[in-house]
Amino acid sequence: LLAAPLAAQQPTPEQAKETIKKWLEENHHEVKDVTDENSTFHFEIDYPLGSMKRQRVIQPKEFPALIVILNGVSIAAEHAEKLKGMQPNDRDAFYNEIRKDLLFLQNSYDLNTDEAGVAKQVQFSYEFYYDALKKTRLYEGLLLNHRTLLYIITKFNDEFGMPMMPKGDMPGHA
């Protein structure tokens, strides 16, 4: 008979939290605990290291044993105005280019639009379960989300030009 059921090998939420936090701190990330009633744990970290860009590592209560790495970007006001001025078919074609480019990546994305169909922000996430909890998987997700952020910023800047950033504004607007 085979012994050692697989479920016994999975970490508890507290073990997962401590392990992830240890890995992030070993790599010198600034790790902030975020109060969040919907999660077992929720960290905000600087990624890339030492930058003003932030990603979140979350274990949602409603999905036991799932880790979500979350990132996003707000659309610059100038870009939103240019999107608003586009013909709906042209705007949809632009969004479809983005969808096709991101379709086969291992992370997910959500293009949040207002009632007029103008993008306001793009969020992306990388998910994995405790059975895949490895440092490599964590950093794979962080890197993939960061590359997706850079892609979105570049795509919007190529289409609409570089936006003027207000003084004191954090980088990360597309």
Side-chain angles (χ1 to χ4, degrees):
L1 292 171
L2 295 174
L6 290 176
Q9 298 172 355
Q10 287 193 14
T12 65
E14 189 59 35
Q15 289 170 326
K17 175 183 180 179
E18 293 308 314
T19 299
I20 290 169
K21 189 170 189 173
K22 181 183 89 160
W23 291 336
L24 294 168
E25 289 175 343
E26 281 175 357
N27 285 19
H28 310 289
H29 290 281
E30 181 184 312
V31 181
K32 287 203 267 186
D33 279 296
V34 175
T35 303
D36 179 357
E37 66 185 36
N38 297 313
S39 67
T40 305
F41 62 87
H42 183 155
F43 300 132
E44 181 182 80
I45 68 161
D46 58 332
Y47 190 93
L49 187 64
S51 72
M52 293 182 69
K53 292 178 176 58
R54 299 287 178 256
Q55 291 202 48
R56 294 175 182 264
V57 180
I58 303 167
Q59 198 289 294
K61 283 182 180 174
E62 64 182 284
F63 297 101
L66 177 70
I67 302 296
V68 178
I69 302 170
L70 187 64
N71 194 357
V73 61
S74 296
I75 306 303
E78 291 173 44
H79 289 174
E81 282 302 312
K82 290 179 181 177
L83 280 166
K84 190 176 182 178
M86 291 175 86
Q87 293 295 318
N89 288 347
D90 294 336
R91 188 172 49 238
D92 288 344
F94 177 68
Y95 295 159
N96 283 334
E97 276 181 44
I98 293 170
R99 286 182 186 101
K100 283 189 265 181
D101 289 346
L102 299 179
L103 183 64
F104 293 104
L105 293 182
Q106 293 179 6
N107 59 348
S108 303
Y109 71 94
D110 188 17
L111 186 68
N112 300 317
T113 59
D114 64 14
E115 57 283 342
V118 175
K120 295 298 178 190
Q121 67 179 11
V122 184
Q123 288 188 320
F124 12 94
S125 62
Y126 181 88
E127 299 95 11
F128 62 91
Y129 286 89
Y130 285 3
D131 64 348
L133 183 58
K134 303 281 186 222
K135 190 173 187 178
T136 299
R137 182 63 61 102
L138 175 68
Y139 278 89
E140 206 172 71
L142 290 166
L143 179 60
L144 189 54
N145 277 356
H146 181 66
R147 286 180 177 167
T148 305
L149 169 77
L150 295 177
Y151 164 79
I152 293 293
I153 291 170
T154 301
K155 186 75 173 173
F156 275 77
N157 288 347
D158 286 352
E159 183 73 20
F160 304 115
M162 291 288 290
M164 295 296 295
M165 299 304 292
K167 288 187 179 186
D169 200 4
M170 285 183 45
H173 290 283

